[in-house]
Amino acid sequence: MTPVPGRFSIELPDWVNQVPGPGPYDSDEAKISLAIELSRRNIEHGEGGPFGAVLFDDADRIVAIGVNQVLPQSSSTAHAEMVAFMLAQQAAGRPRLNDDGRRYTLATSSQPCCQCYGACVWAGIDTLLIGARSEDVMALTPFDEGPLPADWRGELERRGISVRSDIARDEACSVLAEYGRRNPPRY
């Protein structure tokens, strides 16, 4: 009998630690710009999809970084947001980040897909910053973002998560468009 897999790990590419500058990351635009730069570098390095995410604490410090690692990690859950959540939660030793009384912000280059949207609800973030919209992702790349509630923003806000979108949307869309040119749909 073949043993059942008993371990899972996520590892970021080495280049990720070279991307963040010294900051400051004290504005929504600065936070999103970093997430978009990560998404750009991810496709330049051929590491995965055009998605980057960064978790910040209430002092505007980077808590964790995520880039899409679905193909390199052979895991459909290794989306940028999920990677950032998992790394932050593991480092904090708790599944709900803001249980420590601090406030956390997730900056993501593109609107979370259905999987990452669900994780936002449970991860303990207080603010969600978004670059490109899900319709941009689906128009410019071969990705299907999956179903979201019709009032997805309202659902998050009812759970105490403030949502700000369309931050540097054109810049985020340019990365998506570049990925789409390099990776046309296969159907």
Side-chain angles (χ1 to χ4, degrees):
M1 178 174 167
T2 306
V4 176
R7 184 179 188 127
F8 179 79
S9 66
I10 287 287
E11 196 170 315
L12 289 173
D14 291 336
W15 60 263
V16 167
N17 286 314
Q18 299 165 3
V19 174
Y25 299 105
D26 55 359
S27 70
D28 293 353
E29 292 76 15
K31 290 175 175 79
I32 284 291
S33 288
L34 177 55
I36 293 169
E37 181 59 23
L38 289 163
S39 70
R40 177 178 284 110
R41 297 273 183 102
N42 206 40
I43 64 171
E44 286 173 359
H45 286 273
E47 293 285 341
F51 306 103
V54 187
L55 271 164
F56 295 90
D57 66 13
D58 50 11
D60 298 319
R61 292 180 300 232
I62 296 171
V63 174
I65 288 174
V67 292
N68 181 281
Q69 290 290 283
V70 169
L71 295 177
Q73 300 288 326
S74 299
S75 174
S76 63
T77 63
H79 292 193
E81 298 91 340
M82 300 296 286
V83 170
F85 287 150
M86 288 186 277
L87 292 171
Q89 292 161 337
Q90 188 174 50
R94 62 184 177 279
R96 190 159 181 82
L97 295 169
N98 60 7
D99 274 352
D100 66 355
R102 295 165 60 197
R103 299 184 60 76
Y104 292 86
T105 297
L106 176 68
T108 183
S109 61
S110 297
Q111 180 180 329
C113 69
C114 61
Q115 170 183 254
C116 299
Y117 166 83
C120 287
V121 171
W122 306 119
I125 62 168
D126 303 282
T127 303
L128 173 61
L129 305 176
I130 301 168
R133 298 176 183 181
S134 64
E135 57 260 32
D136 300 329
V137 174
M138 292 188 291
L140 298 169
T141 72
F143 296 110
D144 176 356
E145 295 297 273
L148 288 172
D151 185 23
W152 64 269
R153 181 187 301 263
E155 290 293 333
L156 291 176
E157 290 176 349
R158 280 188 281 285
R159 287 172 168 78
I161 301 170
S162 170
V163 179
R164 293 194 271 301
S165 58
D166 294 345
I167 305 165
R169 182 180 177 199
D170 290 342
E171 184 183 352
C173 284
S174 73
V175 176
L176 295 172
E178 177 59 28
Y179 183 87
R181 282 189 290 279
R182 294 180 187 197
N183 301 280
R186 295 181 197 142
Y187 42 88

